[in-house]
Amino acid sequence: ESIRLEVARYRPGQDAEPVFASYEVPLMPDWAVLDGLTYVKDRLDGTLSFRWSCRMGICGSCGMTVNGEPRLTCGTFLTEYGDGPVRIEPLKGFPVIRDLVVDIEDFLAKLSSVRPWLVREGEELPLTAEYAQTPAQLDAYKQYSMCINCMLCYSACPVYVLDPDFLGPAAIALAQRYNLDSRDMDDRFDVLSQEDAVWGCTFVGECTNACPKHVDPAEAIQRYKLTAALRSVLPWSRR
Ligand code: FES
């Protein structure tokens, strides 16, 4: 038994536009979409380009658009698509470098912009002291620390796709990962309380639907809107 993959092929600067190439791959019960792509690369067409590393939903590098939805291809089984075909495209919202590989520079810059480290007033980095935390203090931010930077939430976000300046779901969830950490002394108000940051979110919630790690970025954003609103009325309040 086999299933047909329709895979977007594109070399910017050389091809006028992306085209779809069809490949028949074995339909095995334990094969993920990524296994199908690997079969194509190993057996049918070695020029196909895509990213992957861990094959176990940890590294976040294998995100692609599968039949219109942003998915981790290592965690999406081919059998989910019945008799097929399975249409595989690069993640929407990002410039394509080649075939299924997208440019992640803008995403990385956004993550860096939220000061993704423990900020301690009056202490130099790197921190050398130990700071004990209770299980409840860990639970306060743990959900937001589960992000694997797969960018599916950006690809699903209708705001980011229309406005690339929008800070976006993962970066705001990352900021909250530190804001809600009992060891952190910042609230990242200067970065987060901007029109292109939390106030740009229209609370569609597609980021949360797309997240394979249940980080719930939509909740992180709504929660910070409350923090930001309170802070503008009570400037000494934080978090
Ligand atoms: Fe690492 Fe899919 S290959 S998350």
Side-chain angles (χ1 to χ4, degrees), residues 118-131:
L118 293 176
V119 176
R120 302 283 303 183
E121 280 162 20
E123 293 179 47
E124 296 291 320
L125 289 174
L127 300 176
T128 50
E130 289 180 9
Y131 299 91

Side-chain angles (χ1 to χ4, degrees), residues 53-55 57-60 62 74:
S53 180
C54 72
R55 291 182 177 274
I58 299 293
C59 74
C62 70
C74 71

Side-chain angles (χ1 to χ4, degrees), residues 16-231:
E17 56 184 23
V19 293
F20 285 94
S22 283
Y23 305 100
E24 288 289 326
V25 304
L27 180 55
M28 312 287 262
D30 58 346
W31 270 26
V33 172
L34 182 61
D35 294 307
L37 291 173
T38 307
Y39 181 91
V40 172
K41 184 152 181 92
D42 288 350
R43 308 281 186 94
L44 306 177
D45 187 344
T47 66
L48 178 64
S49 297
F50 54 95
R51 280 199 187 102
W52 60 276
S53 180
C54 72
R55 291 182 177 274
M56 54 194 294
I58 299 293
C59 74
S61 62
C62 70
M64 298 170 210
T65 305
V66 184
N67 278 13
E69 290 183 351
R71 303 290 291 263
L72 284 186
T73 52
C74 71
T76 303
F77 287 96
L78 284 171
T79 48
E80 227 184 271
Y81 299 97
D83 296 333
V86 186
R87 184 162 271 226
I88 307 165
E89 300 166 81
L91 280 179
K92 290 193 177 77
F94 298 95
V96 175
I97 293 175
R98 181 177 166 126
D99 297 336
L100 303 165
V101 178
V102 295
D103 189 337
I104 65 173
E105 287 302 318
D106 179 59
F107 176 71
L108 295 179
K110 286 184 160 77
L111 293 185
S112 302
S113 75
V114 303
R115 297 191 289 278
W117 55 81
L118 293 176
V119 176
R120 302 283 303 183
E121 280 162 20
E123 293 179 47
E124 296 291 320
L125 289 174
L127 300 176
T128 50
E130 289 180 9
Y131 299 91
Q133 267 185 331
T134 65
Q137 286 173 325
L138 173 63
D139 281 346
Y141 66 87
K142 190 175 171 196
Q143 172 191 352
Y144 302 135
S145 72
M146 305 306 278
C147 175
I148 57 170
N149 301 326
C150 65
M151 313 197 302
L152 300 199
C153 58
Y154 281 70
S155 194
C157 173
V159 178
Y160 181 67
V161 170
L162 291 174
D163 173 14
D165 290 334
F166 176 48
L167 183 57
I172 298 174
L174 179 64
Q176 287 287 60
R177 176 258 171 270
Y178 287 97
N179 285 343
L180 299 169
D181 189 318
S182 59
R183 300 165 295 183
D184 187 83
M185 299 163 100
D186 197 357
D187 63 0
R188 296 161 181 81
F189 183 77
D190 56 323
V191 184
L192 298 180
S193 186
Q194 300 289 336
E195 212 166 309
D196 277 334
V198 293
W199 303 115
C201 170
T202 55
F203 199 18
V204 175
E206 286 301 322
C207 52
T208 290
N209 292 340
C211 179
K213 293 293 174 183
H214 311 295
V215 170
D216 201 353
E219 193 241 8
I221 297 170
Q222 301 316 304
R223 203 164 157 181
Y224 198 86
K225 282 180 181 172
L226 185 61
T227 303
L230 273 175
R231 200 182 191 275

